[in-house]
């Protein structure tokens, strides 16, 4: 019996069920400012989240040292008395899918000096005419997640993750930022080259207004997904009728060629994992199929509120928080694709202010940056910062997909293509 | 080992370095979330952790842990990181400041840790009931309490300690008409559970605001004379002026205010301040994360930019003194230049005088926004507002934003009210770190501003 299983069994002596969740990690950051290494930092952290079920109610507490387990158990039992009676049960399974490519030994063993060397190499690439250096961030994460329940479940996996973000400036206004993640070593030089190209492209911009074909890059898509799409398919918001799609299951919500999947089982996927934060085995799930809303994402509690089974989408930002609903790898797919090499319209890499959108009506107005006009796939000129206005629901209903699929972020899909208005 | 012993031990292990500081924090936290009149979740526990920051040959290294048995490993890691960074050293140094030993301890009237969970949940349910009585569809109430003990030591001999609670009530009121609208307000103070007494007023205001949104209208996008309230004005002081005044952004050329010190950047009626000494506002700090006592810093005086916000490091680079604005999200992060509480100083007008216009728009509340510090372009969404015609409020509005450029807006403000409104509290994000801040403002009139409505 592992220590985790022992704690879960011990807790269940005073509760009906118990679950112990543990994360331990080491993260390292190397950051440069202008042409110098600004700072390097390393964080070691380990801690436990303890959930109990008593009389159908969930209680929670967290602790960092095993000797504080007794106090945490007492707090969890005390908080359970006030929770809503949901009659959920913690995971009792011991079978999880094998997901490859989550851990890279080289990343785990990389020395701090190697990380600094990679950032220095990126700085040196950026030292060229027309480019002003700003900042580079390289992070490395090495972590382990484990869960034990009093129902006999024990699950664990290890993960490495690297992330690189170069930010470069060209001229007075053009600031370009690129970003990518990988469970292996992220391509720092490739990203730096992309950042330099984006900065040089947007150095001199021209005003552009009116209706255009929009090619929305994955950075901009992720902003809209987090602020607008995720709440639509979150079972907790659906159960409370705070999602505009709460009554749309089985109905058309997107263009009929579009399918969207939440898939934590993809090998090497950035948000892949064998199980979620409640030890529910990972599996691929259709969210939208052929334009029709196929399912919502849920954890144990929100599924109970909705009267369904969990979809295995429980996430915990930290051991100090209870699970909440989130998406893993979000795959956007369509058989019909538009070639970026023939694109004519405005490519938008960054949007800002999606959180000000109206979630009920879908109306939004977002600032755009790192954008340019293309004709037959050829760069024409950068577009001066302005505002993209539109309706998110209408965009989904008329959405077309390009052919530039990416896999270096939790959004796994190509650029979005739709008709939009710049003001 | 006590907190003090751990920090002394850490510094004693720091050999062959030019400077080091060590931080330790212990936090007791409880959060309760009430949704649809039921407890959605309760979280409670204690966290403790420490870090050491080392300066060696102009390069920094920082290492942290929540495991007290790893002191030697953590110190060794910080020194190793600083040495690795010296390949391209920043040439960092610290401005000379007076070495301070200080103890700040605040005991609230009602320590939240002494209040039973039953009493807290019942209080939230009572607040929920009062909100529903205002005619809204549903409410969400977030409550959190945190008592933080914090200690800072450095190799110059500084030893500082603080202990204070921070209590938050966050209200959301939903109203379902043709669309689902939401109003949000919060009450955040360095105080104990006595804050609950004042939370009733905030809860009622949130619900009233949402109830009115059911029949609110929209205003067409266009240019209007705009009067903003304390929430929107305070946000503008923080986002549009405060961030561009942060000296780290000045040094990298990312701020629209680079090179503007001593220059006129706003109309004469504008004066603005950052003040970390304002207790019990959420941005209060007795001292910053480099051990510099907090202070009141005048940023704009009668329209002229008179200071930036500094850490000891940026102050050394710009040959001045720290303004006590070096703050970190937690001990696990490097301190960077941050605001505390920001505000525009009051003017000499009444609100009636400000709205005495043929046509104008009042914007109240703040529900999100963005600003580009390098260009000064911004867009801030209000929660509600009023259309003003011939000096009278004629139509209640919702879903309206103000957009523009900071430098132009500061020159378009022509009047401020005598009274300032309720302070707002928020979490300010920068470089992946989040710290509590506060802001407030008098009513402020901006001529010919861009309003995004329907």
């Amino acid at each position: 019996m592992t220590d985790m299983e022992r704690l879960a069994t011990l807790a269940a002596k005073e509760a009906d069920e118990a679950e112990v969740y543990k994360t331990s990690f080491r993260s390292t950051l190397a950051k440069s400012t202008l042409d110098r290494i600004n700072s390097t930092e390393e964080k070691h952290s380990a801690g436990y989240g303890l959930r109990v079920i008593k009389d159908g109610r969930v209680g929670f507490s967290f602790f960092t040292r095993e000797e504080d387990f007794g106090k945490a158990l007492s707090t969890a039992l005390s908080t359970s008395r006030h929770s809503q009676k949901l009659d959920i049960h913690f995971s009792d399974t011991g079978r999880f899918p094998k997901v490859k490519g989550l851990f890279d030994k080289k990343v785990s063993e990389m020395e701090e000096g190697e990380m600094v060397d990679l950032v220095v190499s990126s700085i040196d690439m950026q030292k060229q005419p027309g480019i002003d250096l700003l900042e580079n961030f390289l992070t490395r994460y090495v972590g382990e997640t484990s869960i034990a329940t009093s129902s006999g479940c024990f699950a664990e996996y290890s993960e490495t993750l690297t992330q690189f973000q170069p930010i470069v400036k060209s001229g007075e206004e053009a600031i370009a930022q690129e970003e990518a993640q990988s469970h292996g070593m992220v391509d720092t030089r490739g990203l730096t080259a992309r950042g330099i190209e984006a900065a040089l492209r947007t150095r001199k911009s021209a005003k552009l207004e009116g209706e255009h074909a929009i090619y929305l890059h994955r950075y901009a898509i992720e902003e809209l997904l987090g602020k607008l799409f995720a709440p639509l398919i979150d079972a907790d918001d659906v159960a409370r009728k705070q999602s505009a799609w709460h009554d749309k299951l089985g109905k058309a919500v997107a263009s009929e060629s579009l399918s969207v999947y939440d898939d934590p089982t993809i090998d090497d996927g950035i948000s892949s994992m064998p199980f979620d934060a409640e030890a529910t085995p990972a599996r691929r799930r259709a969210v939208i199929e052929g334009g029709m809303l196929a399912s919502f994402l849920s954890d144990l509690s929100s599924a109970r509120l909705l009267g369904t089974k969990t979809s295995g989408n429980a996430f915990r930002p930290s051991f100090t928080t209870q699970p909440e609903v989130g998406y893993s790898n979000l795959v956007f797919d369509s058989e019909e694709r538009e070639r970026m090499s023939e694109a004519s319209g405005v490519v938008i890499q960054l949007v800002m202010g999606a959180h000000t959108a109206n979630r009920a009506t879908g109306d939004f107005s977002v600032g755009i940056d790192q954008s340019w006009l293309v004709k037959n796939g050829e760069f024409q000129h950068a577009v001066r910062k302005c505002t993209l206005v539109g309706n998110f629901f209408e965009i989904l209903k008329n959405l077309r997909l390009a052919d530039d699929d990416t896999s270096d972020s939790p959004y796994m899909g190509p650029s979005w293509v739709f008709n939009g208005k710049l003001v | 080992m006590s907190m003090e012993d751990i920090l002394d031990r850490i510094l004693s292990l720091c050999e062959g370095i030019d400077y080091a500081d060590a931080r330790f924090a212990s936090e007791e936290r409880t959060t309760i979330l009430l949704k649809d009149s039921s407890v959605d979740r309760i979280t409670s526990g204690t966290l403790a952790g420490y870090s050491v920051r080392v300066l060696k040959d102009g390069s920094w290294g920082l290492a942290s842990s929540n495991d007290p048995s790893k002191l030697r490993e953590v110190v060794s890691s910080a020194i190793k990181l600083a040495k690795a960074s010296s390949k391209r050293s920043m040439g960092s140094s610290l401005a000379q400041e007076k070495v301070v030993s200080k103890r700040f301890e605040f005991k609230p009237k009602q320590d939240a840790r002494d209040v039973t969970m039953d009493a807290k949940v019942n209080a939230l349910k009572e607040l929920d009931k009062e909100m529903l009585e205002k005619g809204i569809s549903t409410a969400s109430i977030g409550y959190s309490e945190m008592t933080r003990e914090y200690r800072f030591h450095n190799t110059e001999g500084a030893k500082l300690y603080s202990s204070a609670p921070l209590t938050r009530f966050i209200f959301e009121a939903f109203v379902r008409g043709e669309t689902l609208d939401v109003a949000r307000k919060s009450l955040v103070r360095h105080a104990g559970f006595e804050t609950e007494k004042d939370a009733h007023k905030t809860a009622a205001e949130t619900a009233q605001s949402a109830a009115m949104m059911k029949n609110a209208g929209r205003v067409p996008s266009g240019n209007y004379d705009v009067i903003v309230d304390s929430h929107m004005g305070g946000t503008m002081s923080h986002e549009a002026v405060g961030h561009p005044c942060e000296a780290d952004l000045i040094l990298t050329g990312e701020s629209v205010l680079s090179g503007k010190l001593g220059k006129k950047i706003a109309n004469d009626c504008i004066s603005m301040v950052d003040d970390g000494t304002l207790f019990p506002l959420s941005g209060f700090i007795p001292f910053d994360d480099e051990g510099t006592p907090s202070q009141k810093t005048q940023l704009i005086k009668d329209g002229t930019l008179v200071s930036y916000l500094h850490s000891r490091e940026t102050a050394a680079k710009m040959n001045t003194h720290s303004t006590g604005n070096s703050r970190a999200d937690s001990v696990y992060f490097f301190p960077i230049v941050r605001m505390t509480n920001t505000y525009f100083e009051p003017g000499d007008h009444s609100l009636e005088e400000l709205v005495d216009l043929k046509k104008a728009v009042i914007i109240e509340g703040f529900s999100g926004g963005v600003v580009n510090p390098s260009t000064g372009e911004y867009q801030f969404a209000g929660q509600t507002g009023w259309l003003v015609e011939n000096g009278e409020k004629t139509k209640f509005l919702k879903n309206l934003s103000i957009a523009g450029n900071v430098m132009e807006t500061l020159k378009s403000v022509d009047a401020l009210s005598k009274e300032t409104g309720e302070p707002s509290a928020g979490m300010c994000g920068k470089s992946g770190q989040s710290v509590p801040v506060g802001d407030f403002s008098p009513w402020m009139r901006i001529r010919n501003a861009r309003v995004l409505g329907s």
Side-chain angles (χ1 to χ4, degrees):
Chain A
M1 185 182 273
T2 63
D3 285 348
M4 297 273 292
E5 290 171 293
R6 184 177 52 77
L7 292 178
T9 307
L10 211 58
K13 286 184 178 168
E14 295 184 45
D16 301 329
E17 291 181 43
E19 175 203 69
V20 181
Y21 171 91
K22 183 183 179 188
T23 58
S24 60
F25 70 85
R26 171 170 56 98
S27 68
T28 317
L29 164 72
K31 176 189 171 188
S32 70
T33 298
L34 304 179
D35 64 344
R36 300 282 149 183
I37 299 296
N38 176 306
S39 56
T40 47
E41 59 189 75
E42 184 152 284
K43 177 181 178 181
H44 298 259
S45 173
Y48 303 82
L50 171 68
R51 287 201 300 172
V52 295
I53 298 174
K54 180 90 173 169
D55 301 327
R57 302 171 194 274
V58 177
F60 176 76
S61 184
F62 57 84
F63 58 102
T64 54
R65 297 177 306 174
E66 272 199 50
E67 56 259 42
D68 292 330
F69 169 75
K71 188 182 169 195
L73 175 59
S74 166
T75 303
L77 287 166
S78 150
T79 60
S80 72
R81 290 191 294 112
H82 301 281
S83 299
Q84 203 175 346
K85 192 170 184 180
L86 286 173
D87 288 323
I88 63 167
H89 297 285
F90 295 139
S91 179
D92 59 1
T93 185
R95 301 181 65 181
F96 305 99
K98 288 218 175 338
V99 185
K100 293 177 188 164
L102 302 186
F103 188 86
D104 185 322
K105 198 172 171 216
K106 279 186 192 164
V107 169
S108 165
E109 292 174 352
M110 184 166 55
E111 292 282 336
E112 298 83 354
E114 292 176 65
M115 289 183 65
V116 169
D117 287 343
L118 287 167
V119 175
V120 167
S121 164
S122 176
I123 289 170
D124 290 343
M125 274 180 77
Q126 291 162 25
K127 283 184 177 171
Q128 59 174 270
I131 291 292
D132 300 313
L133 290 91
L134 273 184
E135 291 178 317
N136 294 281
F137 297 85
L138 177 62
T139 56
R140 179 266 309 270
Y141 169 93
V142 184
E144 288 168 19
T145 302
S146 48
I147 305 179
T149 71
S150 56
S151 311
C153 163
F154 179 73
E156 62 181 339
Y157 72 95
S158 299
E159 181 183 24
T160 53
L161 199 66
T162 57
Q163 180 173 4
F164 184 58
Q165 188 181 29
I167 307 174
V168 291
K169 190 176 175 187
S170 183
E172 285 301 304
E173 290 188 11
I175 294 178
Q177 48 185 316
E178 300 285 332
E179 183 254 306
Q181 295 167 278
S182 171
H183 290 293
M185 194 55 229
V186 68
D187 178 11
T188 53
R189 292 186 69 81
L191 272 170
T192 304
R194 269 164 45 186
I196 290 167
E197 187 186 354
L200 291 172
R201 273 186 169 184
T202 49
R203 184 181 173 85
K204 283 185 182 169
S205 61
K207 191 176 174 181
L208 191 68
E209 290 188 340
E211 296 199 6
H212 299 272
I214 303 293
Y215 294 80
L216 205 65
H217 184 269
R218 75 111 167 134
Y219 300 151
I221 293 170
E222 286 192 319
E223 180 75 6
L224 297 186
L225 287 179
K227 305 293 188 313
L228 288 167
F229 189 73
L232 287 170
I233 55 173
D234 181 329
D236 193 67
D237 285 337
V238 172
R240 297 176 198 284
K241 297 188 176 170
Q242 288 172 2
S243 159
W245 284 359
H246 71 89
D247 55 357
K248 296 281 191 293
L249 204 60
K251 294 180 182 166
V253 293
S255 60
E256 57 185 44
S257 62
L258 182 73
S259 292
V260 178
Y261 303 95
D262 178 80
D263 192 351
T265 67
I266 299 169
D267 289 344
D268 304 311
I270 298 304
S271 282
S272 291
M273 59 201 80
F275 52 86
D276 75 353
E278 294 175 320
T280 301
R283 73 180 178 100
R284 179 182 167 95
R285 170 174 295 270
V287 176
I288 294 173
E289 228 166 9
M292 315 287 271
L293 183 61
S295 69
F296 298 114
L297 304 184
S298 57
D299 57 8
L300 286 169
S301 298
S302 59
R304 189 72 186 172
L305 287 174
L306 209 56
T308 60
K309 284 187 176 175
T310 173
S311 67
N313 284 89
F315 287 82
R316 304 195 206 208
S318 144
F319 63 87
T320 63
T321 57
Q322 293 201 54
E324 51 194 55
V325 179
Y327 60 82
S328 62
N329 301 300
L330 216 46
V331 182
F332 272 60
D333 198 15
S334 168
E335 284 183 11
E336 298 159 23
R337 298 299 188 99
E338 294 200 11
R339 290 184 185 168
M340 284 303 286
S341 59
E342 295 170 6
S344 291
V346 180
V347 175
I348 297 175
Q349 285 209 323
L350 298 179
V351 297
M352 292 165 293
H355 58 289
T356 62
N358 187 319
R359 285 191 200 172
T361 63
D363 290 339
F364 69 83
S365 59
V366 290
I368 69 164
D369 203 350
Q370 244 168 273
S371 308
W372 46 82
L373 187 71
V374 290
K375 195 171 178 184
N376 298 323
E378 297 290 324
F379 171 80
Q380 301 296 303
H381 65 79
V383 174
R384 191 166 299 160
K385 293 178 182 77
C386 60
T387 303
L388 171 69
V389 296
N391 181 283
F392 188 65
F393 303 143
E394 290 305 313
I395 285 174
L396 288 177
K397 281 180 181 163
N398 297 290
L399 191 64
R400 293 147 8 231
L401 297 183
D403 61 353
D404 56 343
D405 290 61
T406 57
S407 60
D408 53 8
S409 76
Y411 170 71
M412 300 184 81
S415 294
W416 290 4
V417 189
F418 56 90
N419 296 325
K421 190 175 177 185
L422 301 178
V423 294
Chain B
M1 255 199 296
S2 71
M3 197 186 263
E4 189 167 8
D5 291 341
I6 285 175
L7 296 193
D8 284 341
R9 175 76 181 136
I10 286 172
L11 293 182
S12 73
L13 291 168
C14 291
E15 290 173 349
I17 49 95
D18 302 323
Y19 167 88
D21 54 38
R23 293 174 282 151
F24 191 113
S26 171
E27 295 171 357
E28 284 184 66
R29 299 181 194 171
T30 294
T31 62
I32 306 172
L33 180 61
L34 201 75
K35 278 186 180 177
D36 292 338
S37 305
S38 297
V39 172
D40 182 68
R41 58 190 60 202
I42 301 179
T43 298
S44 189
T46 302
L47 281 178
Y50 62 91
S51 67
V52 56
R53 182 176 73 147
V54 164
L55 184 64
K56 166 83 178 157
D57 298 331
S59 294
W60 288 110
L62 179 141
S64 62
S65 174
N66 59 4
D67 184 348
S69 70
K70 289 188 173 169
L71 298 185
R72 189 174 288 277
E73 192 181 331
V74 167
V75 171
S76 159
S77 182
I79 294 173
K80 207 166 150 187
L81 289 163
K83 284 180 179 170
S85 303
S86 64
K87 285 174 188 170
R88 287 286 169 90
S89 172
M90 277 290 282
S92 295
S93 62
L94 295 171
Q96 285 300 312
E97 304 290 349
K98 194 177 162 190
V99 174
V100 177
S101 286
K102 183 173 178 173
R103 189 176 176 90
F104 175 84
E105 199 165 0
F106 174 71
K107 292 197 185 304
K109 283 182 192 160
Q110 193 176 13
D111 192 324
R113 293 172 295 181
D114 298 335
V115 179
T116 64
M117 199 64 83
D118 280 351
K120 288 170 191 166
V121 170
N122 288 338
L124 296 187
K125 286 188 171 171
E126 184 58 33
L127 288 163
D128 180 71
K129 191 177 148 206
E130 289 169 13
M131 290 177 78
L132 293 174
E133 283 168 358
K134 303 282 179 196
I136 60 168
S137 307
T138 182
S140 164
I141 304 176
Y143 163 81
S144 76
E145 65 188 46
M146 178 179 76
T147 300
R148 184 175 197 245
E149 272 193 281
Y150 176 60
R151 189 170 276 281
F152 174 95
H153 290 191
N154 70 15
T155 48
E156 293 170 343
K159 288 192 174 189
L160 300 101
Y161 169 85
S162 71
S163 171
L166 185 68
T167 299
R168 290 188 175 94
F169 285 88
I170 298 168
F171 300 100
E172 285 187 321
F174 297 87
V175 64
R176 198 176 296 280
E178 282 181 23
T179 61
L180 182 68
D181 290 305
V182 57
R184 296 183 179 90
K185 278 185 193 290
S186 61
L187 179 64
V188 184
R189 282 183 193 159
H190 286 282
F193 198 70
E194 67 272 17
T195 308
E196 183 265 341
K197 289 190 178 70
D198 292 331
H200 292 267
K201 181 169 170 273
T202 313
E205 287 171 355
T206 315
Q208 275 160 359
S209 195
M212 287 177 74
M213 288 168 94
K214 197 169 182 176
N215 299 310
R218 307 285 300 272
V219 68
S221 297
N223 282 28
Y224 297 85
D225 290 333
V226 173
I227 298 101
V228 297
D229 74 347
S230 179
H231 297 294
M232 180 60 85
T235 299
M236 293 177 100
S237 76
H238 175 97
E239 298 285 354
V241 186
H243 276 302
C245 280
E246 291 166 344
D248 51 347
L249 300 183
I250 300 290
L251 286 164
T252 55
E254 289 176 88
S255 168
V256 71
L257 294 179
S258 290
K260 299 263 189 330
L261 201 61
K263 294 185 178 159
K264 200 88 175 164
I265 61 162
N267 269 354
D268 287 349
C269 60
I270 297 255
S271 292
M272 201 202 117
V273 165
D274 176 273
D275 192 346
T277 69
L278 293 178
F279 188 81
L281 299 197
S282 62
F284 162 81
I285 47 170
F287 49 87
D288 73 2
D289 290 301
E290 287 181 327
T292 307
S294 60
Q295 65 177 57
K296 176 179 176 180
T297 306
Q298 189 87 41
L299 297 173
I300 302 175
K301 182 68 182 169
D302 301 331
T304 300
L305 182 66
V306 294
S307 179
Y308 295 131
L309 296 172
H310 285 286
S311 63
R312 288 183 68 184
E313 186 174 355
T314 62
K317 287 194 166 79
M318 296 176 79
N319 200 25
T320 182
H321 285 281
S322 169
T323 54
N325 287 87
S326 188
R327 303 180 65 190
D329 178 305
S330 68
V331 295
Y332 302 111
F333 291 88
F334 261 100
I336 52 175
V337 181
R338 308 303 296 265
M339 283 166 269
T340 57
N341 302 297
T342 52
Y343 62 93
F344 288 114
E345 291 184 318
D348 49 13
H349 294 267
S350 66
L351 175 58
E352 290 71 27
E353 288 169 343
L354 295 188
V355 300
D356 189 15
L357 297 167
K358 193 174 177 191
K359 192 171 188 181
V361 166
I362 295 175
I363 300 180
E364 296 173 328
F366 174 72
S367 62
V370 287
V371 63
N372 182 335
S374 65
T375 62
E377 286 154 21
Y378 71 87
Q379 181 180 327
F380 300 137
Q383 290 195 16
T384 57
W386 290 92
L387 179 66
V388 173
E389 291 168 302
N390 299 316
E392 299 290 329
K393 292 177 180 174
T394 55
K395 185 179 172 188
F396 189 67
L397 305 170
K398 65 180 178 182
N399 300 334
L400 66 172
S401 300
I402 180 169
N405 183 285
V406 178
M407 303 309 291
E408 289 164 15
T409 299
L410 288 174
K411 286 174 182 162
S412 304
V413 174
D414 72 343
L416 296 99
S417 70
K418 292 173 205 161
E419 306 82 19
T420 53
E422 289 285 314
S424 301
M427 297 299 290
C428 171
K430 179 180 170 185
S431 297
Q433 298 193 44
S434 194
V435 296
V437 292
D439 57 59
F440 58 93
S441 164
W443 290 93
M444 195 160 70
R445 185 166 71 192
I446 308 162
R447 293 291 188 155
N448 197 32
R450 175 89 178 147
V451 172
L452 302 173
S454 58

